[in-house]
Amino acid sequence: MAERERLICVSTALAERGSGIRFEVKRNGRPQSAFVVRFDGRVHAFLNQCGHVPVELDWREGEFFDDSRLYLICATHGALYHPASGACVGGRCAGRGLISLPVVERDGHVYLMETQ
């Protein structure tokens, strides 16, 4: 299967450990919320779904980081996830991490890599 790139945002829209950008993906033929953040200088994208139960993480639209700006947090359950890998690092995620999505940053833009 071929891959194609879909523009998510300009690179400058993602500040280090700042607000994320929400976007939509299709999974199993249905639209699903996703997001991208910048952490340690790199962009990382995930489905916007807690590993504990399928609720969106952000406590305010685009706000995914906890107060320390070190972890992504589920506003509903307080589950914590590592922003580079999506791995569960504490709380009610019971070891279930976030589902990562393939993204690339090139020429001042962030792209989702989609399989056709």
Side-chain angles (χ1 to χ4, degrees):
M1 290 190 146
E3 282 190 339
R4 71 179 179 100
E5 299 175 349
R6 187 179 88 181
L7 178 66
I8 297 173
C9 64
V10 296
S11 295
T12 56
L14 292 172
E16 178 70 22
R17 300 181 193 204
S19 296
I21 301 291
R22 291 171 55 113
F23 62 98
E24 196 171 271
V25 296
K26 284 227 182 211
R27 289 190 41 97
N28 302 322
R30 297 185 5 219
Q32 189 165 358
S33 177
F35 67 96
V36 62
V37 294
R38 182 178 303 282
F39 182 76
D40 285 347
R42 297 189 59 217
V43 293
H44 305 276
F46 304 96
L47 290 181
N48 190 3
Q49 180 176 303
C50 182
H52 175 228
V53 294
V55 297
E56 293 184 352
L57 273 71
D58 40 347
W59 50 274
R60 190 173 74 217
E61 186 167 331
E63 298 300 327
F64 298 96
F65 281 97
D66 69 344
D67 288 340
S68 73
R69 312 308 273 177
L70 295 174
Y71 302 104
L72 303 174
I73 187 169
C74 175
T76 303
H77 307 107
L80 296 172
Y81 302 93
H82 194 279
S85 66
C88 172
V89 294
R92 298 181 74 182
C93 45
R96 292 182 300 271
L98 301 176
I99 297 171
S100 65
L101 299 171
V103 290
V104 295
E105 184 172 25
R106 186 178 57 256
D107 300 326
H109 296 88
V110 177
Y111 300 92
L112 174 68
M113 303 304 293
E114 295 181 314
T115 303
Q116 294 184 0

